[in-house]
Amino acid sequence: MASNSSFPGTNPFAAGAASPFAKISEEEEYEVASPTDPRFRHSHTTSGGTASRSPFSGGAGNDDNEDGSDNNNSKGSTGSLFGSSFQDREGVGFTADITSTSSAQGLPNNYAMGRRTSVSAESLNPTSSGSDSWSPPFHPKSDDQVSRLKKAVSGNFLFSHLDDEHLKTVLDALVEKPIPAKDIKVITQGDAGDYFYIVEEGAFGVFIHPSGAAQSGLDGLGNQVGSIGPGGSFGELALMYNAPRAATILSLDAKSTLWALDRITFRRILMDSAFQRRRMYEAFLEEVPLLASLKPYERSKIADALDTIKYAAGSIIINEGDPGDAFYLLESGEAEATKAGMSVKSYSRGDYFGELALLDDKPRAASVIAKTDVKVARLGRDGFKRLLGPVEQIMRRTEYDVDPSKTSP
Ligand SMILES: Nc1ncnc2c1ncn2[C@@H]1O[C@@H]2COP(=O)(O)O[C@H]2[C@H]1O
């Protein structure tokens, strides 16, 4: 039911306050605590850098997994950190209307019709799945579809933390959505949210109009703030926060393939697991000085990719000379970097380490040892390369002089 209620879960990434329906309420809705910081309402511009010799890959944008080929630097290694191109486009209307109970569908004959502008009352309590009569949709798939779908989700952080049972539920519920042309509007900023999408093939542009809703006319989509490629996903915000779509998503290629997950399965399964992580880390990431220049949405994507690891006092977190496979943010406790026995740096909450080996593909230049019990948020190499491009130069400016006044015990 669309109404201008006071539902608190406003999408923090909504671009403007003047949306045709600023908020959407639902009966018996699960309320999501969401930041209401006015900064979240600014329309986003890309922070993709232009550094050459960047270690950051991710040819197609700002989402979870832009290119699906995470394990090397081959893509984008000489170009922009995020490698996105940014330009305005005029799209044609499209509403993904997914009603089929089975496999691959062609372009629905009601493209541009039936755009959903309200959300019916649904009993949604993601934390109580299984306690009522809800059963997840099951869309049978061919072997080929299953293998393509598995590949598409394999590098997506939102799926990497699901247990086997939840992963199967989500895979069964996804519906293939071929997008047979360029400039098809998959999501329209300002609309209500109905589906969450995973990109199997093709690139999709993200456009934000400062009014909070897409307008008609040449510049009606607003500015392109990023793009999302294979393995990436979009459309989660409106479902998470019961808010209007924060951006318009437009196909950029002549042929692409999406997989769509209905709103209820999304909220029951994905939001209950993967998005807990996002909410858990967002507050911490806001405090990390390194990430201060990032847009809130960019920090959210980092939050999806983090894992917390605890180390007891005295444990070695990083061993000098080892190959590097992760980057760390210190969540709590104290740690210290030592080089050939000499203390070179101390770390406390909000500090980061482990970046050098990943930036320059070199062995660990120092050891990092927990001085107290510590909790670190670990970002794997792939996430580091995909998500930290915009702060590469800040990391490179960090100086590592040996402090002769301090020696390790
Ligand atoms: N900078 C951004 N701000 C807001 N949404 C974004 C941004 N980049 C990508 N998106 C995606 O665009 C989607 C539009 O629909 P939703 O608001 O449901 O969810 C949004 C996000 O998944």
Side-chain angles (χ1 to χ4, degrees):
M1 298 194 184
S3 75
N4 289 333
S5 80
S6 57
F7 181 76
T10 306
N11 185 342
F13 305 101
S19 163
F21 51 101
K23 290 173 182 171
I24 297 164
S25 73
E26 293 185 24
E27 290 166 16
E28 300 179 73
E29 188 51 271
Y30 174 76
E31 295 192 349
V32 178
S34 113
T36 50
D37 187 325
R39 284 175 302 145
F40 289 162
R41 297 195 156 269
H42 291 170
S43 75
H44 297 157
T45 51
T46 177
S47 48
T50 52
S52 57
R53 291 183 293 103
S54 161
F56 295 96
S57 61
N62 62 358
D63 210 276
D64 315 306
N65 175 10
E66 289 79 17
D67 60 14
S69 58
D70 314 320
N71 298 323
N72 57 57
N73 294 347
S74 60
K75 280 203 172 184
S77 57
T78 56
S80 153
L81 301 179
F82 276 10
S84 309
S85 60
F86 301 94
Q87 47 190 279
D88 289 351
R89 281 163 197 264
E90 175 65 2
V92 295
F94 163 71
T95 298
D97 178 28
I98 295 144
T99 51
S100 163
T101 53
S102 68
S103 59
Q105 304 161 53
L107 188 65
N109 56 14
N110 59 348
Y111 263 19
M113 291 171 58
R115 179 169 302 141
R116 198 175 181 197
T117 52
S118 66
V119 179
S120 58
E122 294 154 348
S123 175
L124 297 174
N125 182 350
T127 58
S128 67
S129 54
S131 65
D132 59 15
S133 60
W134 178 73
S135 55
F138 177 73
H139 298 292
K141 296 177 180 66
S142 67
D143 290 348
D144 168 61
Q145 282 183 304
V146 171
S147 77
R148 286 189 287 112
L149 180 53
K150 283 192 170 157
K151 186 163 174 256
V153 303
S154 64
N156 190 305
F157 296 118
L158 300 185
F159 292 81
S160 57
H161 299 99
L162 290 178
D163 62 32
D164 289 350
E165 190 193 335
H166 282 146
L167 181 62
K168 184 173 180 326
T169 304
V170 171
L171 294 183
D172 284 344
L174 281 157
V175 178
E176 183 169 358
K177 201 71 217 159
I179 306 292
K182 188 166 168 280
D183 288 342
I184 289 191
K185 226 187 259 172
V186 179
I187 282 179
T188 302
Q189 186 185 3
D191 277 4
D194 43 12
Y195 291 92
F196 165 71
Y197 297 93
I198 297 145
V199 182
E200 179 192 327
E201 185 189 13
F204 292 82
V206 182
F207 296 80
I208 294 182
H209 193 280
S211 70
Q215 308 292 316
S216 55
L218 265 179
D219 296 323
L221 298 186
N223 299 316
Q224 185 169 357
V225 299
S227 58
I228 302 167
S233 53
F234 57 83
E236 78 286 11
L237 293 178
L239 306 190
M240 282 175 79
Y241 296 108
N242 285 319
R245 294 294 198 185
T248 296
I249 305 284
L250 197 69
S251 61
L252 301 180
D253 291 339
K255 182 175 169 294
S256 6
T257 307
L258 293 174
W259 290 86
L261 185 69
D262 69 277
R263 159 187 179 84
I264 300 184
T265 310
F266 172 90
R267 288 180 65 92
R268 295 276 181 149
I269 309 293
L270 271 193
M271 189 162 134
D272 201 18
S273 53
F275 284 117
Q276 296 278 4
R277 173 177 310 277
R278 184 181 284 194
R279 296 204 296 274
M280 182 174 80
Y281 283 118
E282 273 169 346
F284 167 60
L285 295 184
E286 265 187 60
E287 286 176 39
V288 174
L290 172 70
L291 308 179
S293 63
L294 295 183
K295 305 285 185 251
Y297 193 71
E298 291 171 323
R299 281 196 293 269
S300 300
K301 306 308 291 183
I302 295 172
D304 293 343
L306 294 174
D307 284 302
T308 290
I309 306 179
K310 292 177 179 169
Y311 290 91
S315 333
I316 297 173
I317 305 170
I318 283 179
N319 203 16
E320 186 174 353
D322 283 357
D325 61 349
F327 164 85
Y328 300 87
L329 294 164
L330 189 54
E331 283 187 77
S332 65
E334 306 286 328
E336 179 177 53
T338 66
K339 212 170 160 164
M342 301 275 282
S343 173
V344 288
K345 208 168 181 64
S346 300
Y347 301 108
S348 55
R349 179 174 166 85
D351 289 339
Y352 66 90
F353 51 85
E355 80 290 8
L356 285 182
L358 303 185
L359 284 171
D360 295 329
D361 251 326
K362 286 185 179 150
R364 294 298 194 189
S367 293
V368 177
I369 293 153
K371 293 187 77 175
T372 63
D373 288 355
V374 305
K375 221 159 84 172
V376 293
R378 179 185 187 277
L379 183 65
R381 172 187 284 272
D382 302 341
F384 177 85
K385 294 192 173 196
R386 275 185 235 141
L387 303 166
L388 291 189
V391 295
E392 177 190 4
Q393 295 312 320
I394 300 175
M395 291 190 284
R396 287 194 183 281
R397 284 203 293 271
T398 303
E399 288 179 11
Y400 291 97
D401 295 330
V402 174
D403 178 353
S405 67
K406 290 170 87 186
T407 51
S408 63

